[in-house]
Each structure stands twice: as C-alpha cells, then as structure tokens.
Amino acid sequence: MRSVGVKQTMDHTEIELTGSDRPGLLSELSAVLKHLKCNVVNAEVWTHNTRAAAVIQVTDEETGTSITNLERLSRIKALLCNVLKGSNKSSLAKTIVSHSVTHTDRRLHQMMFADRDYEQTGEDVLEDRQRPNVDVVNWYDKDYSVVTIRCKDRPKLLFDTVCTLTDMGYVVFHAKIDTEGPESYQEYYIRHVDGSPVKSDAERQRVTQCLEAAIKRRVSEGLKLELCTTDRVGLLSDVTRIFRENSLTVSRAEVTTKDGKAVNTFYVRDASGYPVDAKAIEFIRQVIGQTILKVKGSPEDVKSVSQEPPTRFLFGGLFKSRSFVNFSLVRSYS
C-alpha cells in the first residue's frame, strides 16, 4: 500500500507518505518537492522491514507560507504517489486530507502500524543481542494479560511501547519499568477496552510482533551524518542526491529548520549492503566543502580504502563556508 496525506496549518503544509522502501527514495521525493517549488522546513523519515513512512512539512517557495491551492495540492499528491509506486505501477495509492494535529513520532508509529511493517518479509538485520525479547501471558484468574519486554534501553522506548499498545486498543492499568545499566525491563498489565485479556495465540503473536516492530523502528544501523547550514530551498534534495550518487541510502532522517538554519540528521547505509566506503565519505567532504568529519564506532563498520582525491561530481559551491557537517558512525537507539 502507498499513501500520501496532506494536513494544513497556517505556517506550513504537512505531507504524510507511506510505501515500500528502496535506495534513493528520499532523494527522489525531495527532488519532486523541489521541482514543485515546495521548501522542506521539517521532516522525519523512518524505515523498517522494507517499509518507509515520512511526515514532511513544506511551505511555498515564494511566499514561505502553507500551500492552499487545491489544484496544486492534488498535483503534489499525485506526483509523490507516482514516486512511491516506483516501477510497480499496479500498486495501490490513496490520498487523504486531514486537519487534525498529531505528534510526529506518534503519527509515524500509526502509519507504519497501518502499513503492517510488523509482518516479517525478509531477513532481520539485528543481532540476537539487540533483538527485543517480548512475552505475553494471561492471568485468567485476574482477567488481564501481562506483557514483559526486555531490550536495550534508549530514549523514547516507553513512548514507543505505550503508544503501540494504545493504538492496538489495549488499556494499560498497571506497569512496572526498570532499567539496569544498558538494559530495560518493562512489564505491562493490559486489557482490551472491553475489559477482556488477550484471547488467542494468534492475537498473542500479533502483540509480540507489533511491540518488536515499535522498538526496532528507531534502531538505526549505519553512519550518522549531522548537517548544520544556512537553510535554502532545495537543500534536502541536493544533500540526498549526493548520497545517492555515492551509493548511500537513507534509513532514517530528521530535518529541522529554525531562524534560517537547517539542522539535519541522516542515518545512511551502503545501497548494496556492504560496509560504508570511507572513500565515499571523503568524497562527500570534498563535495560539501569546509567540513568537520568525525567517525566513531568499531573499525569494521567503515571499509578502509586509500584516500585518493575525488575527480567527479565536484560541487564545491554547494554550501556556504560557515556551514559544517559532522559525521559519526553509530548504532543509534535514540
């Protein structure tokens, strides 16, 4: 399922997108928005289990305000749907227009849940030690179910699990949360809104899968790139195009702008599944210019190569001299 939804506020137009993930998807979407004279002011993009979801806030390039022309909004939605379909033209696409306001992270959880990203479709890249342990049992004499979660602790973990249980129609009437070192232990006593516990093995499995997915959506494997620069129209399109041209794909992104400054965080991986090539990172430094580069993590996470000077795709004037890029290699749980 592919979908594009639009929400209006006085300051910006909010676009929601869900569909299949693929290398270069964010680059293609941002290029379309640039072509349509939309300036991306804020965005958050998640990918998990071959699925992608994004909440993107845009303004009109000329006025700097929200886009209200219905014909133009219809064109934006249609073109973004075509990008989400890619080469699979038989895929369904739908558009929705809503004026409600929802917390961005909460909305991303709801979108990926609705897109059934919890259904396993391929190999799980998480190591066994990183995979969350979720267990669901019924206490029939108490008429409730107990959900226990053991996993690596990280910021917003409680938010992610409670939102998911709520969106699935469960009421949490008692909970125990404990952290010791890097590990987290959560225990929830839940019932359906009608007062009944988990009713079947199939439902128990679904609760387990959905909570695992909610936890893993924020776990970003790969290279973390933090970009701070003067904001301008098309910045996101230019940056993600450079990533794509150097065989990097974005697995998660957070884009914010404030007072004329853009602060963007990207988690990127090699599009072919290999370790990120250090030569590609060195090349990106040359493209952007005036950069600060920091690489953290284990040596095997970045493939070491000779530092040959790049000779192609040089866009030295792309960023102002006062801009900086900070790269760090991490496994992010935030």
Side-chain angles (χ1 to χ4, degrees):
M1 177 69 70
R2 277 71 171 166
S3 69
V4 178
V6 174
K7 298 179 180 180
Q8 295 282 25
T9 71
M10 294 296 293
D11 299 325
H12 60 259
T13 299
E14 187 168 287
I15 304 173
E16 297 180 351
L17 310 101
T18 57
S20 298
D21 186 30
R22 66 176 185 271
L25 178 61
L26 180 58
S27 175
E28 295 176 40
L29 293 170
S30 56
V32 168
L33 291 170
K34 178 182 178 181
H35 173 72
L36 295 171
K37 299 186 182 302
C38 298
N39 182 37
V40 177
V41 293
N42 293 292
E44 189 146 356
V45 182
W46 289 1
T47 64
H48 174 247
N49 196 26
T50 74
R51 312 306 301 164
V55 176
I56 303 175
Q57 296 174 352
V58 302
T59 58
D60 177 75
E61 176 182 328
E62 295 183 358
T63 66
T65 59
S66 64
I67 301 168
T68 58
N69 182 279
L70 296 180
E71 183 177 348
R72 184 180 177 190
L73 289 174
S74 179
R75 176 172 169 77
I76 290 171
K77 291 190 288 185
L79 291 179
L80 291 175
C81 274
N82 286 337
V83 173
L84 288 169
K85 288 179 181 179
S87 59
N88 187 5
K89 297 302 183 182
S90 62
S91 296
L92 294 176
K94 67 176 183 178
T95 60
I96 53 175
V97 179
S98 171
H99 299 286
S100 61
V101 178
T102 307
H103 187 280
T104 298
D105 289 5
R106 176 73 182 280
R107 186 67 189 128
L108 285 166
H109 275 302
Q110 293 172 341
M111 293 161 63
M112 299 205 83
F113 174 73
D115 205 31
R116 306 176 73 89
D117 76 314
Y118 53 84
E119 295 181 343
Q120 292 299 318
T121 58
E123 181 181 355
D124 192 340
V125 298
L126 285 182
E127 301 175 9
D128 288 339
R129 62 184 176 83
Q130 297 172 325
R131 186 173 292 107
N133 185 328
V134 181
D135 189 39
V136 183
V137 298
N138 281 0
W139 285 15
Y140 291 102
D141 57 332
K142 300 292 186 180
D143 203 31
Y144 56 69
S145 301
V146 181
V147 178
T148 57
I149 302 172
R150 294 177 176 85
C151 64
K152 185 177 179 63
D153 190 29
R154 59 165 173 78
K156 299 186 179 180
L157 178 62
L158 180 62
F159 175 91
D160 295 338
T161 53
V162 171
C163 282
T164 298
L165 288 170
T166 302
D167 290 336
M168 294 182 70
Y170 296 103
V171 176
V172 178
F173 64 93
H174 181 67
K176 177 183 178 182
I177 310 297
D178 189 23
T179 58
E180 184 174 349
E183 301 300 318
S184 173
Y185 174 82
Q186 299 181 0
E187 187 175 271
Y188 298 108
Y189 297 78
I190 66 171
R191 293 190 183 111
H192 283 282
V193 291
D194 64 4
S196 63
V198 173
K199 299 175 182 178
S200 66
D201 289 339
E203 184 184 352
R204 184 177 295 107
Q205 181 180 8
R206 186 168 182 266
V207 172
T208 299
Q209 289 178 332
C210 290
L211 286 171
E212 288 179 351
I215 294 168
K216 291 189 290 185
R217 286 170 194 147
R218 287 191 198 267
V219 179
S220 301
E221 294 275 331
L223 190 67
K224 178 181 178 182
L225 297 86
E226 294 182 345
L227 172 69
C228 180
T229 186
T230 302
D231 186 36
R232 61 173 175 78
V233 175
L235 177 64
L236 180 62
S237 176
D238 291 337
V239 171
T240 53
R241 173 176 52 82
I242 293 171
F243 294 163
R244 187 184 75 245
E245 289 174 347
N246 288 276
S247 300
L248 298 180
T249 184
V250 178
S251 60
R252 198 175 123 216
E254 300 171 13
V255 177
T256 60
T257 60
K258 185 177 181 181
D259 298 328
K261 293 290 184 180
V263 180
N264 303 343
T265 301
F266 304 97
Y267 297 84
V268 299
R269 294 174 290 129
D270 182 87
S272 301
Y274 296 103
V276 175
D277 194 330
K279 185 177 181 180
I281 302 306
E282 190 65 23
F283 175 71
I284 291 174
R285 294 177 61 195
Q286 295 292 328
V287 171
I288 296 175
Q290 296 284 325
T291 63
I292 300 173
L293 178 65
K294 295 181 180 180
V295 178
K296 300 178 181 180
S298 56
E300 63 269 16
D301 288 329
V302 176
K303 184 169 57 178
S304 179
V305 295
S306 60
Q307 300 299 313
E308 299 177 3
T311 58
R312 66 187 193 285
F313 302 127
L314 294 180
F315 302 100
L318 188 60
F319 296 93
K320 300 296 184 182
S321 60
R322 60 174 175 266
S323 306
F324 73 84
V325 178
N326 176 26
F327 300 80
S328 59
L329 185 62
V330 297
R331 285 187 174 88
S332 170
Y333 293 88
S334 61

